[in-house]
Amino acid sequence: MKKIIIVGSGIVGSAIAYELSNNSEFDITLIDEKNPGTGATGAALGILMAIISLKTKGRAWKLRELSLKRYKTLISELENFTGLSIPHNRQGIVKLLFTEEELQRYAKLAQFRASQGYKLDIWDQSLLKFHCPEINTSSIVGAVYSPDDWQVSPTFLTKALVKGASMKGVKCIFGEKVKGLNIRSENHTEVILENQSLSADIVIIATGLGTSSLLESLHIPIEIKPVLGQALLVKYDQWQSKEDFNPVITGNDIHIAPMGNNEFWLGATVEFPDSKGEVIAKDQLLQNLRSDAIAFCPSLAQAPIMLSWTGKRPRPEGKSAPIIEKLEPYKNIILATGHYRNGVLLAPATALIIKEMIT
């Protein structure tokens, strides 16, 4: 059997473990110093923006479309197989548009998506107010609605992926750090942990922000830098909806994601490292985020804050996100990292590409 070690149990590494577990010829081990889904995955809103994205060709679009197709079967497949419930919202995404130029751009996108077999609806102010009565339309010219894009809980999904993989024979080692890699031959790598060493035919690096330090032992400089995000969880039990229509609402990169139980995530800021490479959460940006969300939906001013969190996304330097490739010159080490803000969206596509690379 081919021995495969996956380092990193965020949503990307867990998706890879699950997809590979369907092949009985693989002996798979999933390793992480933390519990599954507690890194960048745990700091994601899980909003899947594929059809509504302006990407229409090339690698960026192909990854989105591949993930979207897999997501249509993945959630129910995992729930049926593992018995776990994965919270998700399949009521689509409403993107608010603020200029006539934006409206025209998305009208053209809707025509193009129709030629691909996907649907986007263009709403004027009155239609937007009809479908989403909470929206203040005074500064908004219209909206685009994508019924094929949706939202999923990244943490619950990751836990289901890990359980599904383990039920199919994947061995899991959590709470133990991988300290380095030792290349024994072209087809043999030693993965050095704190208390043991494991040999592998193939090593898959899905460590996000931990990628740079892990590859130091191989003297290969791949820079993955943190970009911090802050978000707020609020509760509001007077939210108005048309016939229980409760999609994700987004505008000017501010997302309002209904989570059930009258709770909503408001997110997320985008905060880059300073000149010293440090990322420090700025309270003013979090306040601005809340103010912008209230400008779209004024009733949120009455919604008490239940929770606030910060999380770091892995952004590659000098390479396009995400990095899905063999680590030259080592043909048995594969990188699946640096997904930046699209880890949840692109995890299924990444897993399928890695599976194809191996098989």
Side-chain angles (χ1 to χ4, degrees):
M1 296 178 70
K2 185 174 290 186
K3 289 186 177 181
I4 299 174
I5 291 179
I6 303 164
V7 186
S9 69
I11 193 165
V12 173
S14 299
I16 293 169
Y18 178 74
E19 294 293 357
L20 293 183
S21 68
N22 292 314
N23 193 322
S24 60
E25 297 178 0
F26 296 156
D27 177 355
I28 305 166
T29 303
L30 177 64
I31 305 174
D32 203 311
E33 63 177 309
K34 300 177 181 178
N35 289 325
T38 55
T41 298
L45 299 181
I47 299 173
L48 312 177
M49 302 179 73
I51 306 305
I52 210 168
S53 165
L54 288 169
K55 306 291 185 182
T56 58
K57 59 184 179 179
R59 177 177 183 254
W61 163 247
K62 289 177 181 177
L63 287 171
R64 282 169 167 80
E65 185 177 37
L66 182 59
S67 268
L68 182 69
K69 289 178 178 178
R70 182 64 177 117
Y71 262 121
K72 288 182 177 179
T73 60
L74 181 62
I75 301 299
S76 58
E77 178 183 313
L78 282 169
E79 289 184 327
N80 292 333
F81 182 59
T82 66
L84 297 177
S85 177
I86 304 170
H88 59 285
N89 182 352
R90 300 202 66 163
Q91 296 194 36
I93 296 176
V94 174
K95 181 176 178 61
L96 307 178
L97 306 176
F98 298 86
T99 66
E100 287 295 334
E101 184 181 354
E102 270 191 305
L103 194 63
Q104 292 173 12
R105 185 185 306 137
Y106 278 94
K108 290 181 180 178
L109 180 66
Q111 292 179 345
F112 184 78
R113 290 290 188 239
S115 71
Q116 295 178 304
Y118 300 111
K119 182 180 181 182
L120 287 177
D121 293 333
I122 303 299
W123 295 344
D124 59 16
Q125 277 187 328
S126 60
L127 270 176
L128 173 60
K129 194 68 178 178
F130 175 80
H131 290 292
C132 304
E134 288 284 352
I135 298 294
N136 171 21
T137 60
S138 60
S139 63
I140 299 169
V141 300
V144 55
Y145 171 58
S146 174
D148 292 317
D149 292 323
W150 34 294
Q151 184 270 342
V152 63
S153 168
T155 302
F156 281 87
L157 175 56
T158 302
K159 289 179 178 178
L161 287 165
V162 171
K163 182 176 180 180
S166 63
M167 289 172 66
K168 294 183 179 182
V170 172
K171 296 181 287 294
C172 297
I173 301 174
F174 300 135
E176 194 167 349
K177 184 178 181 179
V178 174
K179 300 177 69 175
L181 304 173
N182 188 3
I183 308 299
R184 293 296 188 184
S185 69
E186 184 176 336
N187 298 309
H188 180 201
T189 298
E190 186 179 30
V191 179
I192 305 167
L193 285 75
E194 293 173 318
N195 301 311
Q196 60 181 313
S197 294
L198 303 174
S199 64
D201 301 305
I202 296 173
V203 176
I204 300 167
I205 307 297
T207 46
L209 288 169
T211 303
S212 299
S213 59
L214 180 58
L215 295 181
E216 283 179 0
S217 61
L218 299 179
H219 308 289
I220 296 179
I222 290 185
E223 273 196 280
I224 308 281
K225 292 192 174 180
V227 177
L228 188 137
Q230 300 184 74
L232 295 170
L233 182 69
V234 301
K235 190 176 183 71
Y236 185 62
D237 59 7
Q238 300 299 315
W239 186 267
Q240 299 179 58
S241 62
K242 180 70 175 177
E243 297 176 349
D244 294 325
F245 177 63
N246 236 347
V248 173
I249 296 170
T250 182
N252 283 345
D253 212 21
I254 304 296
H255 308 308
I256 303 171
M259 306 304 293
N261 196 31
N262 298 316
E263 294 180 344
F264 300 82
W265 275 115
L266 312 180
T269 65
V270 179
E271 304 176 47
F272 293 92
D274 60 21
S275 58
K276 298 179 181 179
E278 297 177 351
V279 187
I280 301 172
K282 298 178 178 64
D283 184 63
Q284 185 59 53
L285 293 180
L286 191 61
Q287 294 179 34
N288 293 347
L289 183 149
R290 183 171 181 268
S291 298
D292 290 344
I294 289 171
F296 304 158
C297 301
S299 61
L300 290 176
Q302 306 169 47
I305 297 172
M306 310 297 292
L307 178 69
S308 65
W309 57 246
T310 62
K312 297 175 182 177
R313 305 94 153 199
R315 182 176 181 268
E317 286 281 308
K319 282 181 173 286
S320 299
I323 303 173
I324 310 171
E325 60 189 35
K326 291 183 178 179
L327 180 66
E328 296 295 341
Y330 307 109
K331 300 188 183 301
N332 67 330
I333 299 178
I334 301 174
L335 299 176
T337 187
H339 286 70
Y340 190 25
R341 302 176 71 188
N342 289 312
V344 181
L345 171 61
L346 300 183
T350 302
L352 294 173
I353 290 170
I354 295 295
K355 183 178 181 180
E356 184 178 353
M357 289 172 69
I358 293 175
T359 56

